Amino acid sequence: MNRRHLTILIRASVISSTLLLGSACATKEPPSQAAMTKDALPNAVVPGAWGSAAAQGSVPNGWVKEFNDPGLDAVVGEAMKNNLDLRTAKARLDGAAAAASAAGADLKPVVGATGGGVAQGGDGGNRYTNRGAGLNISWELDLWGRLRQQSGAAQANYEGAALDYEFARQSIAAATAKAWFLASETLQQQKLATAQVATYTEMLRITETRKNAGKLGEQDVRLVKADLAGAQEREAASTAAHKQVVRALESLLGRYPGAELAAEPELPAMPGPVPAGVPSEVLERRPDVAAAERRVRGAFKNTEAKKLARLPSIGLTAGVGANSGLTELTRSGGSFFNVGSNFFAPIFDGGARKADIAIATADQEKALVAYGQTALRAFQDVENTLDSDATLAKRETLQDGALTDSIEALRLRKVEADAGKADTLSVLQLQIKVDLAKAGVISIRQARRSERVNLYMALGGDFSSAPTAPSAASASNR
């Protein structure tokens, strides 16, 4: 192959590019997000503010740091590295990226090299050899935009997969944080249950002593024994619950579930109020909603590609090469080039293309409905968690007040006991009430922190200040 033939091949490619750019039609674009939302939710009017009370301002990222808990930072970071569900989501993302790259490749020319040789001989002594090599280019002109729509559909699906991966990251972080809080709560409840067993054991000793002294009857002893058995049952249940929570947390971290992880003895401080923004922002900020929107776009482009498949297609080919042939008597050989085109127009296919369009149209409608369902669920999540966050705060205030009063009553009873105006048994009975009040406060505090995580998730706030999810940028360049 000489320079002249290579020049011919390059010129053929340039001509093909010019024809492609000059004759290609503009492709139809999917509807805007506002139009998509209106189509998906024709009976839902998105308000300008949340129905539940919410702090004003933009939703922040980095909510893990808001709890100021190094242990929480550590377990969330470990989950991001080792969680198996997250690895599955990453594998799906890699597959979508490969599909987008494959679809994008259809827009580019295909270049191939060929070569070969043969040698023959006979009894007469004549020998013949032939060697040849060539370089070929083939390119389908995307006159109507079918290939661009196919590539756009694959790109939208890839972006949806990237957003699914991001939502999986946030979901795993949220599940890890809530399991971390629950492990701390169950550890505290276990300790309280153990303390109650000790209190009831002491009460039983005193009751039996008074019965032996004739001051109490058998009924009093039986009642305290029943209370002690109940406390022992709660201790066993709280111990089992704590182990189960720790095992669940270890599984989230990719560890063997041996119930060996050490939980924090106290829950972290509650962060301040969370700015909630406005409802329309959730459609862009929440990865699951954005992923559903990308799938609608991909389905739209796929439908357009199926419609454009009914139009004629034109392909261009070009090639250069050289061959040589040699015998004992003659020498022959040379080089060659070719430039050609092909044309295909579908006339009758038994309704296959019409069926493809119908299937793609149905898929597009399903994607639109799924988008509407996801958007409604997002709005509902935010309204519910905003309301629940406020309600839990009020309940915690009431529980704290009840605990404070119980502790003060216990203090006063101890003073009376020290002065000989109250007996030890009544002090122990008040101690039980204090422990029950503490159990309620611990439970409501854990619920508040878990619900705060749910609120961050509902609003689409990322757990990290610098998300590490793969970008939804074009996969065709990978």
Side-chain angles (χ1 to χ4, degrees):
M1 185 191 309
N2 57 34
R3 180 175 297 178
R4 181 172 65 87
H5 293 145
L6 185 58
T7 302
I8 292 172
L9 183 62
I10 294 174
R11 286 178 178 175
S13 299
V14 172
I15 293 172
S16 301
S17 303
T18 304
L19 288 172
L20 176 64
L21 296 175
S23 60
C25 296
T27 58
K28 284 186 67 175
E29 290 301 313
S32 65
Q33 186 188 67
M36 191 184 301
T37 303
K38 185 177 181 180
D39 289 342
L41 302 172
N43 298 321
V45 178
V46 180
W50 297 107
S52 302
Q56 299 300 311
S58 300
V59 178
N61 288 327
W63 57 259
V64 168
K65 294 294 184 183
E66 293 293 317
F67 289 98
N68 195 27
D69 184 350
L72 176 61
D73 292 346
V75 293
V76 170
E78 186 175 345
M80 291 302 101
K81 293 179 181 178
N82 302 324
N83 183 266
L84 298 183
D85 290 334
L86 201 55
R87 287 172 59 183
T88 300
K90 180 60 168 61
R92 286 196 292 266
L93 175 61
D94 291 342
S101 296
D106 291 339
L107 288 166
K108 302 172 184 177
V110 177
V111 181
T114 60
V118 63
Q120 295 178 335
D123 294 338
N126 292 333
R127 291 184 303 168
Y128 171 79
T129 61
N130 183 51
R131 296 184 299 273
L135 188 65
N136 300 298
I137 294 179
S138 62
W139 196 351
E140 180 180 347
L141 298 182
D142 192 24
L143 296 176
W144 323 114
R146 177 180 61 84
L147 297 179
R148 278 172 286 161
Q149 292 287 19
Q150 287 179 351
S151 178
Q155 174 63 24
N157 290 335
Y158 165 73
E159 292 175 4
L163 289 161
D164 285 337
Y165 178 79
E166 174 61 20
F167 189 68
R169 287 179 66 250
Q170 295 189 20
S171 299
I172 295 301
T176 301
K178 290 188 286 186
W180 177 252
F181 297 149
L182 192 56
S184 179
E185 184 213 345
T186 53
L187 178 62
Q188 293 178 69
Q189 298 287 13
Q190 178 185 347
K191 291 179 179 179
L192 275 176
T194 301
Q196 288 179 9
V197 168
T199 300
Y200 277 118
T201 300
E202 179 62 13
M203 289 176 65
L204 179 60
R205 185 190 68 79
I206 294 173
T207 303
E208 289 179 333
T209 299
R210 291 188 176 184
K211 173 182 173 293
N212 294 333
K215 296 180 179 180
L216 293 175
E218 180 66 23
Q219 180 183 7
D220 298 308
V221 174
R222 294 290 183 179
L223 288 174
V224 176
K225 283 185 175 181
D227 290 337
L228 175 59
Q232 291 170 331
E233 188 277 331
R234 288 192 295 273
E235 181 185 30
S238 61
T239 300
H242 178 66
K243 288 182 178 180
Q244 290 177 3
V245 170
V246 171
R247 290 190 185 103
L249 178 57
E250 289 169 335
S251 294
L252 283 170
L253 304 182
R255 298 187 189 183
Y256 180 82
E260 297 177 351
L261 187 147
E264 287 291 333
E266 298 290 337
L267 287 163
M270 188 69 186
V274 180
V278 297
S280 60
E281 293 176 348
V282 171
L283 300 179
E284 298 179 0
R285 193 169 50 240
R286 272 187 54 151
D288 57 333
V289 180
E293 184 254 352
R294 296 303 195 281
R295 280 187 273 273
V296 175
R297 292 180 177 274
F300 176 91
K301 289 180 174 291
N302 185 55
T303 301
E304 291 301 309
K306 298 300 182 184
K307 292 177 181 178
L308 294 172
R310 297 176 299 178
L311 301 176
S313 62
I314 298 176
L316 299 177
T317 60
V320 295
N323 61 62
S324 63
L326 179 64
T327 68
E328 287 185 342
L329 301 177
T330 64
R331 291 181 178 274
S332 63
S335 56
F336 65 89
F337 74 90
N338 65 73
V339 177
S341 63
N342 55 70
F343 171 86
F344 175 77
I347 297 176
F348 177 76
D349 60 5
R353 284 175 173 78
K354 184 177 180 180
D356 287 342
I357 295 172
I359 293 171
T361 302
D363 289 341
Q364 182 179 339
E365 178 63 18
K366 287 190 293 185
L368 184 65
V369 172
Y371 169 75
Q373 291 172 328
T374 307
L376 278 181
R377 185 168 59 248
F379 293 140
Q380 181 180 351
D381 288 346
V382 176
E383 293 285 7
N384 283 343
T385 50
L386 282 173
D387 186 60
S388 181
D389 189 63
T391 300
L392 287 171
K394 293 178 182 179
R395 290 178 57 194
E396 184 177 8
T397 299
L398 294 173
Q399 291 270 21
D400 284 340
L403 176 59
T404 299
D405 290 340
S406 297
I407 292 175
E408 179 62 15
L410 176 61
R411 186 189 69 80
L412 293 174
R413 183 58 57 87
K414 287 180 177 179
V415 171
E416 292 177 348
D418 292 340
K421 298 180 179 180
D423 59 8
T424 305
L425 193 59
S426 64
V427 173
L428 293 175
Q429 289 171 339
L430 279 181
Q431 181 63 59
I432 291 294
K433 290 186 176 181
V434 169
D435 289 343
L436 290 174
K438 285 181 179 179
V441 168
I442 292 170
S443 179
I444 204 72
R445 286 178 178 173
Q446 183 276 131
R448 275 202 73 192
R449 283 147 184 79
S450 292
E451 193 64 12
R452 178 57 58 86
V453 173
N454 290 336
L455 178 57
Y456 279 117
M457 275 288 295
L459 292 170
D462 194 272
F463 67 92
S464 171
S465 299
T468 56
S471 170
S474 174
S476 59
N477 295 326
R478 287 176 169 241

